[in-house]
Amino acid sequence: MSSRTFSPERLFKIRRLRKARRLFKKEPLFAFHNMCIEYPDYTITEFQDDLRRRTKKKKKFSKTPLSRYGRYWRMLQLKDRYQCTKDEKLIIKAMKLQANMTKPYRLRVRLKDLCWEYQFSPLIPIGEIESLVQQFNACQTEREVETIYKTFAESSSIPY
């Protein structure tokens, strides 16, 4: 453990900062007034600076096991948009996503008289599946469908 010695000026500021935070936590309305009594030349900007966070607060992520699934974040987005707009179509979509959360994606590709059905892991993000569907819709031949499927299978790190 390294021992650091602070200058008296720095120690004074640290003690003042801690006192300001402690008083603000105890009695927020009178904290500034009490600090002004103790430190006569104390200003409101110094008080606000003493109270501000010095480090960025880490973003908390969901601890639910469902957050691994590809449909989870889209479901949350739809629920948030529903809270803003109160559009019932959004909440119905979110409920469908929630019902199918752990089920694998099933894609059926039709090309003239031919039909292929693919299954993908539910852990793949839904945005990747949607872009794959767009690529399949643009296909004109069987070979294109096969190459798109193979490239997607190789590029995806999640096993099917």
Side-chain angles (χ1 to χ4, degrees):
M1 191 165 131
S2 66
S3 70
R4 280 200 297 195
T5 56
F6 291 114
S7 67
E9 196 176 289
R10 176 86 172 117
L11 285 172
F12 172 76
K13 286 185 179 179
I14 291 171
R15 288 185 186 117
R16 190 186 70 193
L17 180 138
R18 288 182 179 160
K19 185 165 199 145
R21 288 184 179 181
R22 187 174 55 249
L23 285 174
F24 185 76
K25 197 172 186 180
K26 277 177 140 180
E27 42 190 6
L29 292 176
F30 303 108
F32 177 67
H33 177 68
N34 292 340
M35 289 296 288
C36 286
I37 291 170
E38 186 140 348
Y39 305 102
D41 56 344
Y42 195 61
T43 63
I44 188 74
T45 55
E46 289 176 323
F47 181 65
Q48 289 170 341
D49 188 52
D50 285 345
L51 294 181
R52 79 174 167 83
R53 278 195 166 278
R54 296 297 196 255
T55 57
K56 288 188 177 178
K57 195 172 187 180
K58 288 185 180 177
K59 209 174 197 180
K60 289 185 180 178
F61 288 102
S62 175
K63 295 195 188 259
T64 177
L66 293 178
S67 64
R68 297 179 1 203
Y69 293 98
R71 296 177 177 106
Y72 181 76
W73 299 108
R74 177 68 57 84
M75 179 195 68
L76 288 184
Q77 286 176 347
L78 289 171
K79 284 183 177 181
D80 288 343
R81 285 200 332 220
Y82 170 75
Q83 292 296 328
C84 296
T85 63
K86 299 296 183 198
D87 183 12
E88 292 178 1
K89 292 177 186 175
L90 296 173
I91 200 69
I92 291 170
K93 283 182 186 178
M95 289 168 59
K96 284 181 183 177
L97 285 176
Q98 190 171 11
N100 296 321
M101 185 76 61
T102 59
K103 295 178 183 173
Y105 296 102
R106 291 177 59 209
L107 295 182
R108 182 175 289 155
V109 181
R110 290 187 185 148
L111 188 65
K112 299 175 187 168
D113 297 335
L114 301 171
C115 185
W116 297 271
E117 192 164 311
Y118 298 110
Q119 266 193 335
F120 298 102
S121 168
L123 303 177
I124 298 173
I126 196 167
E128 289 183 26
I129 297 295
E130 289 170 343
S131 67
L132 179 66
V133 168
Q134 289 177 347
Q135 291 175 358
F136 278 146
N137 288 338
C139 291
Q140 300 295 323
T141 63
E142 295 176 41
R143 180 160 274 160
E144 288 178 16
V145 172
E146 291 173 13
T147 56
I148 287 173
Y149 173 74
K150 286 180 183 176
T151 55
F152 184 79
E154 290 170 0
S155 68
S156 180
S157 60
I158 300 168
Y160 301 170

